[in-house]
Amino acid sequence: MSKNIAIIGSGPAGIVAAISASLHSKHDGNIFLFESLKDVCKTILATGNGRCNFSNVVLDIDRFNNPHFVNEFRRFSDLGEDVVSILESFGLEWMVNDAGLMFPLSNKASSVRDVLVGALGKSDVKVVADRQISFISELCDFDAVIIATGHRACTDLLSGIKCFPMRRVLCPIKTRENVSVADNVRSRVNLKVIRTLKEANKSAVFCDSAKDKDFEQLVFEEDGEVQFRKYGISGIVTFNASRYVLSGDKLVLDFASPIVADDIKNHLQARYEKCSGDVDLFFKGFLHENLARLIKTRIKKQDSFEEVFNLVTSFELTVDEVFKDEKLSQVSRGGIDVNYVSPSTLEVMPLEKVVNHKIFACGEVLDIDGPCGGYNLTWCFESGWRAGKSTAQLV
């Protein structure tokens, strides 16, 4: 029986889905890969600063958005369906760095693209480039469609499917405060994101004067390197924080967190007293001079160790916004609600029947995202493989 399959989008998830569908298909028919750009899989060239960190030796599933779904998805994985096995089957040689991050041996993202495009060329997939698919109904002649458009999915394409609005994450954070004096300075910190919420004052619930009171919620905490920019902060720990921040959230930076000491306050106080309270001497040999200049702009009492200590260990900035520019961000949060997706097959259950064929989805278009460190490409490759396999076997 002849069965036709269409894949929309040729990013990492889409191209692997097309190859997987071709490898697992047991029917005569056609497999088409539609791409709105002129070339396939170009987006991967920018990943990992051009090096393509495609996975991680220790992948903590709980760090994904919707980790319960990812856990269920992996529970149905067969041998050889992990990201390493998939890429090795295409011919990729890879390495692991000291931090446990996986990269192509060439240290170039182009090597990953080369093996993907090579495997695609050996398959029976027909590539249709420079072709924008705006409506699922355009593919009415197909028995199944895999949506792998990433964040570029348009509203019309996802019509009838339960989705969350997409927003760019893994990106720099713009702050309301001016930090340009420390532009390009890098510093190891402990970074917290604190959100102020309102809660009804339960003790006054029966009083006419009952008011809401503020309380603070810790929504993110991680150690890492922050890079100060004219607009705010950047760096991997900032990118990870961008998955959680909202405008108005408080960023709290502890510049003393890397210091090894039994009691950090006593350690810094001894340093302060050794400098006879001279703040300039206190910062020399401790922090970058421009970072020290930034901190000193907040000091009101020149002879107060408590104030200096609080600024060094709890330096506060306020989130203005995360950057929405695709060139500055790596992935999107939002997309198809996974409560309407089968974790075993990645078949999508529309809210209403808009077409007669089956719909599957993979990669970034699903509401799954992870931190820096190969999480998102791992999801793209593994979900692409599953979607292609499921489509070939179920239609």
Side-chain angles (χ1 to χ4, degrees), residues 29-309:
N30 297 305
I31 300 173
F32 282 85
L33 176 62
F34 294 93
E35 171 55 54
S36 62
L37 303 177
K38 293 183 179 180
D39 297 304
V40 299
C41 206
K42 289 200 71 174
T43 55
I44 202 169
L45 297 177
T47 59
N49 288 323
R51 297 170 59 209
C52 191
N53 168 207
F54 64 83
S55 195
N56 194 320
V57 171
V58 183
L59 211 67
D60 183 357
I61 301 300
D62 286 338
R63 299 192 71 187
F64 278 102
N65 182 35
N66 291 315
H68 61 284
F69 183 87
V70 181
N71 267 317
E72 277 296 289
F73 167 85
R74 285 200 144 194
R75 192 168 66 84
F76 290 100
S77 294
D78 292 328
L79 186 66
E81 294 187 350
D82 60 282
V83 60
V84 172
S85 297
I86 293 168
L87 291 177
E88 282 184 342
S89 72
F90 297 155
L92 184 73
E93 298 290 347
W94 54 278
M95 62 181 180
V96 181
N97 71 5
D98 293 341
L101 305 181
M102 297 179 176
F103 294 89
L105 187 59
S106 67
N107 229 4
K108 289 187 175 293
S110 57
S111 292
V112 180
R113 182 177 185 265
D114 288 345
V115 298
L116 291 175
V117 172
L120 182 67
K122 294 176 183 178
S123 72
D124 59 359
V125 176
K126 298 174 176 60
V127 178
V128 183
D130 203 16
R131 172 73 162 86
Q132 176 75 45
I133 303 295
S134 299
F135 300 90
I136 292 288
S137 57
E138 295 177 47
L139 305 174
C140 58
D141 293 333
F142 290 85
D143 298 283
V145 174
I146 301 175
I147 304 174
T149 51
H151 69 276
R152 293 189 177 89
C154 63
T155 303
D156 292 332
L157 182 63
L158 300 178
S159 176
I161 298 173
K162 179 69 166 62
C163 296
F164 297 108
M166 283 191 171
R167 63 182 180 88
R168 298 299 285 170
V169 295
L170 293 191
C171 54
I173 297 174
K174 183 180 179 182
T175 61
R176 293 176 183 173
E177 297 82 2
N178 185 344
V179 296
S180 59
V181 67
D183 187 31
N184 283 324
V185 173
R186 298 174 185 266
S187 180
R188 294 286 300 182
V189 302
N190 171 269
L191 176 63
K192 295 184 180 75
V193 176
I194 306 292
R195 183 165 301 148
T196 300
L197 303 173
K198 290 188 178 296
E199 181 181 52
N201 186 343
K202 297 176 182 177
S203 64
V205 70
F206 297 112
C207 301
D208 293 335
S209 59
K211 295 181 179 179
D212 286 348
K213 63 179 181 180
D214 293 343
F215 74 98
E216 292 186 334
Q217 178 187 31
L218 176 67
V219 296
F220 173 86
E221 181 175 8
E222 188 174 302
D223 295 327
E225 185 181 80
V226 162
Q227 181 180 16
F228 285 85
R229 304 309 305 266
K230 292 180 180 179
Y231 52 74
I233 58 174
S234 186
I236 290 177
V237 69
T238 303
F239 276 41
N240 289 341
S242 73
R243 299 174 62 222
Y244 303 94
V245 299
L246 299 175
S247 179
D249 282 351
K250 186 190 304 180
L251 304 171
V252 182
L253 290 76
D254 181 357
F255 299 108
S257 63
I259 296 176
V260 179
D262 292 333
D263 188 320
I264 193 65
K265 187 169 186 178
N266 285 342
H267 176 84
L268 292 180
Q269 186 163 18
R271 179 184 182 88
Y272 184 82
E273 291 171 355
K274 186 177 180 180
C275 297
S276 301
D278 187 320
V279 176
D280 292 329
L281 286 177
F282 174 82
F283 283 119
K284 283 185 178 179
F286 178 11
L287 298 177
H288 188 287
E289 59 182 348
N290 287 341
L291 181 54
R293 286 174 61 194
L294 175 63
I295 295 173
K296 286 188 290 186
T297 61
R298 303 275 187 94
I299 296 176
K300 297 177 181 178
K301 295 180 181 180
Q302 295 298 324
D303 58 348
S304 171
F305 167 73
E306 288 295 328
E307 185 175 23
V308 173
F309 176 76

Side-chain angles (χ1 to χ4, degrees), residues 357-394:
H357 48 243
K358 292 180 179 291
I359 300 174
F360 299 79
C362 56
E364 192 181 350
V365 75
L366 291 166
D367 187 25
I368 301 289
D369 67 271
C372 296
Y375 283 76
N376 295 293
L377 279 178
T378 293
W379 172 247
C380 282
F381 289 130
E382 293 187 3
S383 65
W385 186 267
R386 179 75 58 79
K389 175 184 176 181
S390 299
T391 304
Q393 294 178 342
L394 294 177

